[in-house]
Amino acid sequence: MPPTGLEPARMNRKKGDKGFESPRPYKLTHQVVCINNINFQRKSVVGFVELTIFPTVANLNRIKLNSKQCRIYRVRINDLEAAFIYNDPTLEVCHNESKQRNLNYFSNAYAAAVSAVDPDAGNGELCIKVPSELWKHVDELKVLKIHINFSLDQPKGGLHFVVPSVEGSMAERGAHVFSCGYQNSTRFWFPCVDSYSELCTWKLEFTVDAAMVAVSNGDLVETVYTHDMRKKTFHYMLTIPTSASNIALAIGPFEILVDPYMHEVTHFCLPQLLPLLKHTTSYLHEVFEFYEEILTCRYPYSCFKTVFIDEAYVEVAAYASMSIFSTNLLHSAMIIDETPLTRRCLAQSLAQQFFGCFISRMSWSDEWVLKGISGYIYGLWMKKTFGVNEYRHWIKEELDKIVAYELKTGGVLLHPIFGGGKEKDNPASHLYFSIKHPHTLSWEYYTMFQCKAHLVMRLIENRISMEFMLQVFNKLLSLASTASSQKFQSHMWSQMLVSTFGFLKSISNVSGKDIQPLIKQWVDQSGVVKFYGSFAFNRKRNVLELEIKQDYTSPGTQKYVGPLKVTVQELDGSFNHTLQIEENSLKHDIPCHSKSRRNKKKKIPLMNGEEVDMDLSAMDADSPLLWIRIDPDMSVLRKVGFEQADFMWQYQLRYERDVVAQQESILALEKFPTPASRLALTDILEQEQCFYRVRMSACFCLAKIANSMVSTWTGPPAMKSLFTRMFCCKTCPNIVKTNNFMSFQSYFLQKTMPVAMALLRDVHNLCPKEVLTFILDLIKYNDNRKNKFSDNYYRAEMIDALANSVTPAVSVNNEVRTLDNLNPDVRLILEEITRFLNMEKLLPSYRHTITVSCLRAIRVLQKNGHVPSDPTLFKSYAEYGHFVDIRIAALEAVVDYTKVDRSYEELQWLLNMIQNDPVPYVRHKILHMLTKNPPFTKNMESPLCNEALVDQLWKLMNSGTSHDWRLRCGAVDLYFTLFGLSRPSCLPLPELGLVLNLKEKKAVLNPTIIPEAITGNQETAINPSGHAQLVGFQNPEGDHLAKEASCNISAHQQGVKRKSDTPLGSPLEPGQILEKNEDSSKVKLKIRFSSSQEEEEVDMDTVHDSQAFIFHHLNMLERPSTPGIHLGVFNLEGKEQSPLEMSMHPVATAPLSVFSKESTSSKHSDHHHHHHHEHKKKKKKHKHKHKHKHKHESKEKDKEPFTYSSPASGRSIRSPSLSD
Amino acid sequence: MADTTASAGAGSSGMRSGSKQSTNPADNYHLARRRTLQVVVSSLLTEAGFESAEKASVETLTEMLQSYISEIGRSAKSYCEHTARTQPTLSDIVVTLVEMGFNVDTLPAYAKRSQRMVITAPPVTNQPVTPKALTAGQNRPHPPHIPSHFPEFPDPHTYIKTPTYREPVSDYQVLREKAASQRRDVERALTRFMAKTGETQSLFKDDVSTFPLIAARPFTIPYLTALLPSELEMQQMEETDSSEQEEQTDTENLPLHISTAHTETRS
């Protein structure tokens, strides 16, 4: 075996990194998933799974698996019936009736709930008790086969059904179903160990209608017809060890295309789209070749499948040996704009096949390595395919994005380390969500996380060279492929998992370089660097005095110490200097090479060796400096603000060959509206050698400059003559040439220029009439008959241009907008929009780009007061059944309307859609748009902000979105944007003035009432037990208030200066809790019993309870617990027996709902209540104590296990003996 | 009887343009036909056994016969035009006769009856002559298969071609202008028509007709219309593929750069 990065890791445990140690007391080797029946009409699935596991500890008595939504009928282990509990605390994060409404509380509770079922912590929703008959077997560490029968009915997440409501059979209707989700979400559709680190081999069987095709991972071994020939069973085998999270499924009446270049690759698309599929995938083999070549490694799986489906969750989802794409990526040869985008998606998904699917991650904190590597090699592909310019432009774009995001939110941490002893500061304390789990992350954060990961990989490449980098990847892959071919017993499979430590070790082995500082700076720490640079030229010393300051105090920033490259372009050439950025040195002297005299008419050498003639008249006669660039290679994640004279920026724009430099100078020139800037920009615009994206941004800069120079501007409107020269007929300059988009550069420029021109304004701040006429003429004379390509994007941009030309209406006395007082220009615009929009109905354009632009333009007209503001039109376009792009555009308009007109009705309409729309992507997108363009924010007075809305949103994130992690996190984002972290200000004061902390045996005024002014009060009313019961248990809400108090009270202990709703952990002694709760739990049980009767009807996925769940963990499955004893204890403790006894006789075949009902009523004693809080709030400071106590508690439970039983737990145990 | 149909039909159509003056050659022509009909009526009467008849009754019978034959001609012409032909065929006549309640089956027997009388061809009369001033070009002579007693061809300009002598428009600007406004007019007319005939939405509550928007209607399978090129585009694609971007009227085609990266950069 070659030396690996993982083996030494085991010895190096001091550093906190270690080789893979499974969090589970068993190892999974093989899993069978068999879905016998899929009903499209009812949207249901019936099947079973069989997991083959080897116990790794002798006394394994319970097995935790992940399963959400599934209805579990029966569990057998080695053919013996096994009892199981199904409890999912993420279904309802906080108590249903709790009045708690602050986000801090929610986020902590949510993180705790996710932790409680996190497979990476060895947890799961489904807890199976090993039958006692098998204990001996287990003690010998012999194999166990767990057979679980399950069904899914109308799944809300995980599996998505698309069933168009037309005539015909399901296959004729194009009905299909596919698996989807964010990160590890396989548990939504079958019970499994839903972790990226638990690998096993797979056998997948799907029985579907004979007209349908089932696509899944691995090799299709055979398809077998059923006896009646009406159904087929697809048998797939995946022999490469794969995690359940990388298992996928797509079933539909797909058209099948075997890739003509690579026969092991098969493409699937929905009926009628085959020609598009052919064209779209015709490029894929080149991507394959590229990756295989740079990685010097063959594609690891024996086959690859692409499936294009409708209503996709994300555009691209990569799974082991198959990728699921949105059908909207398909395009014909006539479409220009979509082609590169689709190819990028294909390339992205393929990169993830190697890193992400084949090589999986050890834990969530290693995610950045996989995202980084796949993003990095995707970048290499971009560079090869689209050229260096495009690549650098993309890197710059990504850098700008991550910098902006980190500065806004306060940092993205790639490698969070958790659980290490004392953790003083939460690594993500600036965030309103926990970054401990992928499922608690804001979607935007996760996107930025991926972006940062690949940028950091690029930084590593800069440090160790690409060659070494690729060697490292190759090493990881070859290790993994060796491991993948091994039998399970060799314990080699963990080589297929990558960890941060293993990756870094591999880098140091291969390159021999120490990249620890780099990792420490960008991986172990969040934040970006903010530089401010300025300079002075010292003529006497011929020295450039450069001053570089850093801002490392604002959120999201960090201090940078180390080398920094500065490039100075002088008259005599371009020179690189590496400055050492240190703690306190701001000034750097850089000697200049050139004398400032420049009487000789010499050509000026550039960085790339090219020598050019320049007109140097604009220069400062005393200085030889043409321009200066800080960190030109983007080798720091930074934002640079640099000050240099306008002529220097202009030289940089004209003569610097790096597109990033050009882009930067364009941005800088916006501040220098002078004729010289105008000329520089115009020249760039005309230069065909120049990168087209630079030219496009020059357009917009030129428009801005022209507007700043409006009073002194001479000649026709900016860009008009340029456009005429480039794209109009020679003989009649007002008529555009018939379209010919063969030159893509010209095409993009032709599209962009009118859009930029429409931003021009005259002295009255109106769009010049000349420009409007010009754009209208472009539309009028547009002629695509002889074009090889579709002009739909071009026409759409012309509508965008029209929209850009709209300026606010001048209204007299707030008159009502009618047709009669319509501005004549607007009338012309409206005429065009009407025609375009109507023509779309008859001759729809690709992806309905024109409708999308029309809707946006109409909203612009409304917003500017030309057309009455009215959401009706948008709402009709937002309905289900329109193309998704149209829907999103329409919804965006409704969101904007909601904000501008403060419409409660529309907000409700949107919220309703978030909950009920059939397309998960649309729901997600509405939340996203509402967050980006919120109707109000936390510091704003708004009539929309009321208690009902708070409750509604709370409910949405608390329980309404439990089927979709992304959606729930989106709801959290929105809640944060609207109300902030603290209790929303619009809420009324809590009813109860006095609250108490049972842990502390204290009662205080509810801190949410008077956050600041009660410093002395906490000592006032303290009579522990009496008050406790009185306040805590008089009514059902009481204990929640108490709970609220328990987290709020800590704030007071911290000195009450803190806001009431940002609780911090407070220490507490374990003993105190235990003794305190004995009596109160009894009282509470009664209450719970009565309420359980009322709640008997609640559906299985409405109410669950994390605290109760934790309680189960502590108590329920310890040997030698049997349900019978539970019963006895109950009878002793809780005096209400009837409801209990009724549900104590589960029928063997009854579906799980019986149990879930029980868990709805499962409330818990105060004990775990506190315990839970401790979990959430105090974990940081008191981790050790806490852990200790945890053990301590469970020991106590062992001795006297049922002291704290709650009815829920008692009834949830299911045992065959009982049912008999 | 059947063999008189054509001349009677022509006669009836000629009557409409005829004037009262008997000196007119056209009237002479019609009178000659009328006389032939009178001969026919007389011989039919003789055949039926009449020895004499009053002039008035002969006139009435002639009038009836003429109307009957005219009706056959008119109706046959309609039938033939209905099937997009200009020349009536036998079947048109048959259909006409059936339509008029005539038992066609009896006709052949009737035509072959023994006691029938043969009437000589009408005397050659002068064709009606159109006034000189209106003629344009040379009238074509009858082809050999048309009996000379049939009417002359009309003026060639009415059915052959009309040469005009204006300069054709080839100016690029005008052409583009025309193409553009034509397309725009068609589009506007079409969309307005669609809007009028279907459900609409409006941006202004008080006015639904000025900017009528065809109502948005959800599709059952929205991605199909969004992704598949329309038939028009497909057709266009084929055309452009075959002609491979012929040279455009006014352009010197720009040099074709397809690669996107042009500027050199340092790496």
Side-chain angles (χ1 to χ4, degrees), chain A residues 807-855:
Chain A
T807 46
V810 188
S811 88
V812 191
N813 307 330
N814 281 332
E815 57 188 339
V816 185
R817 284 292 141 200
T818 60
L819 262 178
D820 308 323
N821 55 20
L822 197 62
N823 175 317
D825 287 348
V826 173
R827 186 177 278 271
L828 291 173
I829 293 173
L830 214 47
E831 193 88 44
E832 294 299 331
I833 292 174
T834 310
R835 198 168 48 83
F836 270 124
L837 198 53
N838 286 340
M839 276 308 286
E840 273 275 282
K841 301 283 187 308
L842 310 173
L843 282 176
S845 61
Y846 177 72
R847 290 192 79 154
H848 296 292
T849 47
I850 291 166
T851 305
V852 168
S853 286
C854 286
L855 291 177

Side-chain angles (χ1 to χ4, degrees), chain B residues 110-132:
Chain B
Y110 181 77
K112 289 183 187 132
R113 70 192 187 281
S114 53
Q115 70 271 42
R116 70 179 192 278
M117 299 173 79
V118 178
I119 299 157
T120 50
V124 181
T125 50
N126 292 332
Q127 311 264 326
V129 186
T130 25
K132 253 300 180 256

Side-chain angles (χ1 to χ4, degrees), chain A residues 664-680:
Chain A
E664 280 167 355
S665 51
I666 287 175
L667 199 67
L669 282 177
E670 275 178 22
K671 291 182 216 85
F672 300 102
T674 60
S677 299
R678 176 185 174 182
L679 196 64

Side-chain angles (χ1 to χ4, degrees), chain A residues 11-65:
Chain A
M11 300 162 213
N12 222 337
R13 207 167 293 170
K14 276 170 261 162
K15 282 190 174 177
D17 291 299
K18 48 193 171 196
F20 185 65
E21 283 176 0
S22 173
R24 281 164 289 280
Y26 58 87
K27 179 71 190 83
L28 180 64
T29 62
H30 184 70
Q31 180 163 357
V32 178
V33 179
C34 175
I35 289 180
N36 326 321
N37 191 8
I38 292 196
N39 188 332
F40 280 91
Q41 198 72 53
R42 296 189 46 226
K43 299 190 179 172
S44 68
V45 166
V46 180
F48 69 83
V49 294
E50 191 182 270
L51 297 92
T52 308
I53 65 165
F54 283 91
T56 51
V57 294
N59 60 344
L60 177 72
N61 59 353
R62 56 190 170 165
I63 296 162
K64 287 183 183 169
L65 296 176

Side-chain angles (χ1 to χ4, degrees), chain A residues 890-905:
Chain A
L891 285 166
E892 199 175 4
V894 178
V895 167
D896 191 53
Y897 176 86
T898 309
K899 179 191 181 178
V900 175
D901 283 46
R902 297 184 165 190
S903 160
Y904 193 72
E905 189 192 329

